[in-house]
């Protein structure tokens, strides 16, 4: 019972009233700026959750993620970067180093504090996403989960998929229509 109580009171599982962890809206991330990023605050909107790294060959995708946020954010898209050191130890620094990288790309979308995204120690959102899409787990940095307006994983895009590619934009636009 103590373990169950600790799990339910974990800040990563902080919930808005009536929001279940059976959807993404039941999860939150500590923000890199110290503020909590509650997915429940974005209920009904598409959310692109991307595990990031500062020293990766794919790090230039930050610029494309910012383009997507700038273009589609006013319509309701939320982009959330989740720095992780899980792949190739390519995010070794702390908040100040990560912020220096994101600042160099002009990032204005929400950034979580560094988190584990794979394995037994993964952040609860990533464990949940793995249960929703067990064949589409992060295998490297800049893996993208699109959470639909209904709070479930609507699409998954690999590291190799540029965030502004037509299939990504089409999936986001589909979620805008679904949100109606």
């Amino acid at each position: 019972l103590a373990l169950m109580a600790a799990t339910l009171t974990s800040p990563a599982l902080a919930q808005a009233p009536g929001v279940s962890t059976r959807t993404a809206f039941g999860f939150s991330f500590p923000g890199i700026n110290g503020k909590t990023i509650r997915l429940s605050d974005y209920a009904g909107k598409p959310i692109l959750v991307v595990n990031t790294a500062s020293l990766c060959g794919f790090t230039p995708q930050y610029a494309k993620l910012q383009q997507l946020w700038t273009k589609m954010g006013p319509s309701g898209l939320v982009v959330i970067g989740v720095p992780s050191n899980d792949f190739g130890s390519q995010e070794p620094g702390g908040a100040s180093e990560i912020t220096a990288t994101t600042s160099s790309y002009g990032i204005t979308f929400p950034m979580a504090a560094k988190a584990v995204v794979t394995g037994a120690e993964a952040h609860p959102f990533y464990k949940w996403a793995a249960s929703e899409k067990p064949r589409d787990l992060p295998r490297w940095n800049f893996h993208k989960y699109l959470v639909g307006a209904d709070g479930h994983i609507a699409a998954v895009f690999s590291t190799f998929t540029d965030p502004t590619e037509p299939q990504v934009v089409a999936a986001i636009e589909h979620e805008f229509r679904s949100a109606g």
Side-chain angles (χ1 to χ4, degrees), residues 85-173:
N85 199 40
D86 288 10
F87 304 105
S89 298
Q90 294 181 343
E91 191 63 272
S96 61
E97 291 88 359
I98 295 166
T99 300
T101 299
T102 60
S103 294
S104 73
Y105 284 95
I107 299 306
T108 60
F109 54 80
M111 289 293 299
K114 189 159 64 170
V116 175
V117 301
T118 62
E121 300 300 315
H123 182 281
F125 168 85
Y126 279 91
K127 288 182 179 181
W128 168 82
S131 73
E132 286 249 319
K133 296 291 183 181
R135 295 178 185 224
D136 294 319
L137 305 177
R139 289 179 174 78
W140 200 251
N141 306 307
F142 292 88
H143 176 91
K144 301 150 201 77
Y145 283 117
L146 178 62
V147 175
D150 65 357
H152 293 281
I153 302 294
V156 180
F157 302 100
S158 81
T159 298
F160 299 100
T161 305
D162 180 298
T164 59
E165 285 188 20
Q167 69 263 33
V168 178
V169 172
I172 294 166
E173 289 174 342

Side-chain angles (χ1 to χ4, degrees), residues 40-108:
S40 62
D41 291 345
Y42 308 111
K45 298 179 180 180
I47 305 169
L48 190 66
V49 180
V50 185
N51 64 296
T52 62
S54 297
L55 304 177
C56 180
F58 293 96
T59 302
Q61 283 193 22
Y62 266 133
K64 299 292 187 151
L65 289 166
Q66 182 62 37
Q67 286 177 11
L68 196 62
W69 167 251
T70 300
K71 178 182 176 186
M72 301 182 91
S75 298
L77 172 67
V78 179
V79 176
I80 298 173
V82 182
S84 178
N85 199 40
D86 288 10
F87 304 105
S89 298
Q90 294 181 343
E91 191 63 272
S96 61
E97 291 88 359
I98 295 166
T99 300
T101 299
T102 60
S103 294
S104 73
Y105 284 95
I107 299 306
T108 60

